[in-house]
Amino acid sequence: MAKPAEVSVESPALDSERPPKSGMPAGVTGAATWADDRLGLASLLKKNLRKIFPDHWSFLLGEIALYSFVVLLLTGVFLTIWFKPSMAEIEYEGSYQLMRGLPMSEAFASTLALSFDIRGGLLVRQIHHWAAMLFLASMTVHMLRIFFTGAFRKPRELNWLIGVGLLGISLIEGFAGYSLPDDLLSGTGLRFVDGLIRSIPLIGTWAEFFIFAGEFPGSLVVARLYMVHILLVPAVLLGLIAAHLTLVVYHKHTQYPGAGRKDGNVVGYPLFPVYMAKAGGFFFVVFGVSILMGATMQINPVWNFGPYNPAQVTAGSQPDWYMGFVEGAIRIMPNWEWHLGSTTWSWNVFLPGMGLLTGLFVLLGAWPFVERWITGDDAEHHVLDRPRNNPTRTGLGVAGITCYAMFWLSGGNDILATQFRLSLNAVTEFMRVAVFLAPVVAFIVTKRICISLQRADHERVLHGSETGIIERSPDGGYSEPHRPIHTDEKFMLTQHAQGKVAEVTPATDGNGVLEKGAGVSKTRALASRWYHAGVIDKPTADEIAEADHHANGHADGHDGDHQVTESETSGQISR
C-alpha cells in the first residue's frame, strides 16, 4: 500500500507577497497635488465626474449642435488664414481659366484661390458650410424637442431664453459667413437684407448708410461682416453655450418618464467613464459625417455664380434654408405702402421681414411664461412630458412648424411655378391663404391625434394590451383577450400631472382685502378652459385596482398569457 505524500509547510508557493504598486510617476502625482492644493480640483472632479446623465437618442440633438460648432471653429481657423476680407477691385490672375482677366473683389479672388489653389481648401470650405447647416438644423430640432416635451418649464426658463438667443445669433452668424465670398448669389442676399434695413420706418436710410458706410454696396461691408463673423458673434456664442451647459449641469438633465424616474432623481449613467466615452465617440461621428458631406456633396460653387455685380441677379437664386421663410413671407406679402410727406413706409417689406423675425423670437421667449400663466403650474419639473399628454402645446408646435413650412415654400414660389408648370401668381395667391389656413388645420388634426393616443393609453392601463387572439365563446360570441401590462409601464403611462381647468375666483381674501397674485381672471379662466379642452383624464388608483381585480377574476386558463417579465435596467444608476 502506497504511503501518503508528505506535506511541505515551507513551499515558495505558499508565501504571500504584496503586489508591486503600479501608480503614476512621481512627477505626475506631484503636479496633480500642486494643482489640487491651489485649485481644489480633486473635490470638484470627484463630484462632477460621477454626475448622472440620462440616456435617450433625442438628447444627441443638442450634442450634434455643440460638436458642429466645434467643427466650425476648427475649419474656420484654416479659412481665416487664406481669406482676404477686402472689397478692393483687382484683376483675377488665378488658376481658374474661365475667370482670368475679370475684375473682382479681393474677397472673391481669395475664395477662388481657396477653392482651386490651396491644397485641401475646397474640402475645408465645404466642410465649414455643411457644418453650419448642420449646426442650425440640429439646434432647431433640439429646441423643438425641448418645446414638445416641456423641458422649458421651471426651473429652466432662463436656459430656454439662452437657447432662443443662441438660435437668433446663429442666424446672424450664418448670414454673415454666407455673405463673405462676395459672389453674385451672396451679394443678392446682401441686397435683400439692405432692403429690409431700409424698410425700417424713419431710421432705415440712416441705418443703411451706417452699416454699409454709404450707399449699398459700399466698400467696407465685407470687412465689417468678417469682423462680426470671426470675432464678435463667435465670442457671444461661446459665452452663451458655456452658460447653457452650466445651467444644464446645475439644474440636472431632464429625463423621460419611466420606471423609477421622478422629479427628485436622475436615472442614467455617470459622466465618467460611460458618458464621456460615448460623447467623445459621437464627436468623431459628427466630424466624420461633416467631412463625408464636404467631400461628396458640392455646396456653394461660387465659380458658377461669378463676382458680385449690383446690376445683376442670378435667376432662381435662393438663400440658405434657415433664411428661406423670411424671403417667402416678403414674396407673398401684398403691396402695402404709405406715403407720408416725403417719406415712404414700406410695410410690404418691414412687416414680413423685420416684423416676422421679431415676432417669432418674442413669441418663443415668452411662451414658458404664457403657459405657466394659463396653467397656473409653478412647480419644478425634471421629468419630461410625453407630447400626447399636452395636446394643446403639441398642436401649437405643429401649427408653428406648418406655418414655417408654408413661408419656406413661398420663398421658392418661382421654382415651384417653373418646375410644376403653374402660374406664379396662382402659387403666390395660394400661399397667401395657406400660411393662415394650414396651421389651423394642423393644430386641429394634431390635437385630435394626441387625444386619441391618450384614450388608447387609458384603455391600455385599465384593460391591458391586445393579444391579437380572437376567441369564440360557447354561445357563439367573439372576443379578444387582453394581456395585463407591467407595473412599470402603468407607472410610465400615468405618472404625469393632471392639469386642472382654472375657475374664476376673486383676488381678495376672506376679509375682502386685495391679495397680490391671488384670484383668477375671466381671461385666464377662458384660456385655461381652451388649453385643457378635450384632455382625457388619466385613470385613478381606484380604477386601476378595480381593473386589475376584474382581470384576475377572468384569468381562467390564460395564466401563461398574463405573465409579464421585468425588464433589465442595464446597469443604470438612479440618483
Side-chain angles (χ1 to χ4, degrees):
M1 182 174 178
K3 295 181 179 180
E6 296 182 0
V7 178
S8 175
V9 295
E10 298 180 355
S11 173
L14 300 178
D15 295 342
S16 59
E17 296 182 0
R18 186 181 298 274
K21 294 183 178 181
S22 58
M24 293 184 293
V28 176
T29 56
T33 303
W34 183 91
D36 182 49
D37 290 341
R38 289 155 180 81
L39 302 175
L41 295 178
S43 58
L44 181 66
L45 292 177
K46 182 179 180 181
K47 176 182 178 181
N48 289 285
L49 287 180
R50 299 302 296 172
K51 191 172 184 65
I52 303 303
F53 284 88
D55 193 37
H56 193 270
W57 67 265
S58 66
F59 299 152
L60 298 178
L61 296 170
E63 292 187 38
I64 294 174
L66 177 62
Y67 300 152
S68 299
F69 183 70
V70 175
V71 174
L72 286 169
L73 292 178
L74 296 175
T75 53
V77 171
F78 178 90
L79 297 177
T80 301
I81 298 173
W82 305 103
F83 181 74
K84 298 180 181 179
S86 173
M87 297 181 71
E89 187 174 287
I90 63 171
E91 184 177 308
Y92 180 66
E93 297 179 352
S95 60
Y96 189 60
Q97 296 295 324
L98 296 179
M99 289 190 179
R100 288 183 67 90
L102 286 181
M104 60 182 64
S105 67
E106 284 192 292
F108 185 70
S110 64
T111 305
L112 291 178
L114 267 166
S115 302
F116 297 111
D117 301 326
I118 307 301
R119 188 179 298 274
L122 180 59
L123 175 62
V124 176
R125 266 195 67 230
Q126 298 200 148
I127 293 173
H128 191 77
H129 205 133
W130 279 118
M133 297 288 194
L134 194 60
F135 176 60
L136 280 158
S138 57
M139 189 188 306
T140 302
V141 181
H142 175 62
M143 292 196 67
L144 288 175
R145 195 274 301 172
I146 291 174
F147 178 84
F148 284 120
T149 59
F152 54 80
R153 295 172 296 174
K154 183 181 178 180
R156 295 176 178 82
E157 300 97 332
L158 180 59
N159 222 4
W160 170 260
L161 293 176
I162 291 175
V164 172
L166 278 169
L167 181 61
I169 295 173
S170 298
L171 294 180
I172 298 174
E173 176 75 345
F175 172 76
Y178 169 84
S179 303
L180 288 180
D182 200 30
D183 60 286
L184 186 57
L185 182 61
S186 66
T188 302
L190 200 57
R191 182 64 162 175
F192 176 84
V193 172
D194 171 60
L196 292 182
I197 296 171
R198 285 196 293 172
S199 71
I200 302 175
L202 301 178
I203 66 167
T205 304
W206 178 87
E208 179 202 19
F209 275 62
F210 175 78
I211 293 173
F212 292 94
E215 192 174 359
F216 179 87
S219 59
L220 295 176
V221 67
V222 169
R224 291 179 173 180
L225 288 175
Y226 183 71
M227 176 188 67
V228 169
H229 184 68
I230 72 165
L231 182 62
L232 180 62
V233 174
V236 176
L237 288 176
L238 282 171
L240 290 178
I241 289 173
H244 183 75
L245 295 178
T246 301
L247 287 177
V248 168
V249 174
Y250 177 73
H251 291 141
K252 71 185 180 183
H253 204 294
T254 54
Q255 56 187 342
Y256 281 92
R261 301 176 183 180
K262 51 188 178 180
D263 288 328
N265 70 351
V266 179
V267 178
Y269 301 98
L271 177 63
F272 180 84
V274 179
Y275 199 81
M276 288 181 67
K278 294 172 67 175
F282 192 57
F283 166 73
F284 288 106
V285 170
V286 174
F287 205 164
V289 170
S290 301
I291 294 173
L292 182 64
M293 295 172 70
T296 60
M297 303 165 65
Q298 186 182 77
I299 188 169
N300 199 26
V302 295
W303 53 90
N304 288 339
F305 310 139
Y308 180 61
N309 185 337
Q312 299 174 348
V313 176
T314 303
S317 59
Q318 302 290 321
D320 281 344
W321 70 268
Y322 49 85
M323 294 300 295
F325 74 105
V326 179
E327 178 158 332
I330 291 177
R331 288 193 182 196
I332 64 175
M333 184 71 179
N335 186 25
W336 292 352
E337 286 186 354
W338 287 358
H339 298 278
L340 302 177
S342 59
T343 62
T344 300
W345 300 58
S346 299
W347 301 117
N348 56 331
V349 178
F350 177 76
L351 289 179
M354 307 298 289
L356 179 63
L357 282 171
T358 302
L360 171 64
F361 286 100
V362 169
L363 183 61
L364 287 175
W367 177 254
F369 309 99
V370 172
E371 181 175 300
R372 187 176 65 179
W373 175 77
I374 293 174
T375 61
D377 182 8
D378 199 36
E380 287 196 6
H381 295 277
H382 302 287
V383 176
L384 300 172
D385 279 342
R386 300 172 77 209
R388 68 183 65 183
N389 291 333
N390 201 312
T392 301
R393 183 206 295 150
T394 304
L396 289 173
V398 175
I401 295 173
T402 305
C403 185
Y404 176 92
M406 294 299 104
F407 279 129
W408 188 77
L409 289 172
S410 300
N413 59 351
D414 55 338
I415 305 298
L416 292 175
T418 56
Q419 293 299 314
F420 293 98
R421 298 184 179 182
L422 301 171
S423 166
L424 177 61
N425 291 336
V427 173
T428 301
E429 294 292 338
F430 173 81
M431 288 299 179
R432 287 176 177 173
V433 177
V435 293
F436 295 103
L437 182 61
V440 175
V441 174
F443 172 79
I444 296 173
V445 172
T446 302
K447 186 168 183 178
R448 296 311 308 171
I449 292 174
C450 289
I451 292 174
S452 298
L453 292 173
Q454 280 188 324
R455 188 175 290 111
D457 288 345
H458 187 279
E459 294 295 318
R460 185 175 179 84
V461 170
L462 295 181
H463 304 296
S465 62
E466 299 175 351
T467 61
I469 301 173
I470 304 300
E471 295 182 345
R472 182 177 180 181
S473 63
D475 59 1
Y478 291 90
S479 63
E480 180 185 12
H482 284 63
R483 180 180 293 110
I485 62 176
H486 194 272
T487 305
D488 290 348
E489 185 178 358
K490 288 183 180 180
F491 176 79
M492 188 268 292
L493 295 177
T494 58
Q495 74 166 12
H496 60 280
Q498 187 71 56
K500 296 181 179 179
V501 177
E503 300 293 341
V504 179
T505 56
T508 57
D509 59 16
N511 298 321
V513 179
L514 289 176
E515 188 176 359
K516 185 178 180 180
V520 176
S521 64
K522 291 183 179 180
T523 303
R524 180 182 166 191
L526 286 173
S528 177
R529 191 175 300 114
W530 168 79
Y531 191 86
H532 295 292
V535 175
I536 304 299
D537 292 337
K538 65 181 183 180
T540 64
D542 292 338
E543 290 175 334
I544 295 175
E546 182 181 354
D548 290 343
H549 177 73
H550 178 77
N552 293 332
H554 290 77
D556 297 338
H558 299 288
D559 292 339
D561 293 338
H562 289 266
Q563 291 180 358
V564 182
T565 59
E566 295 188 8
S567 60
E568 299 281 341
T569 58
S570 303
Q572 291 188 345
I573 302 174
S574 173
R575 285 187 182 174

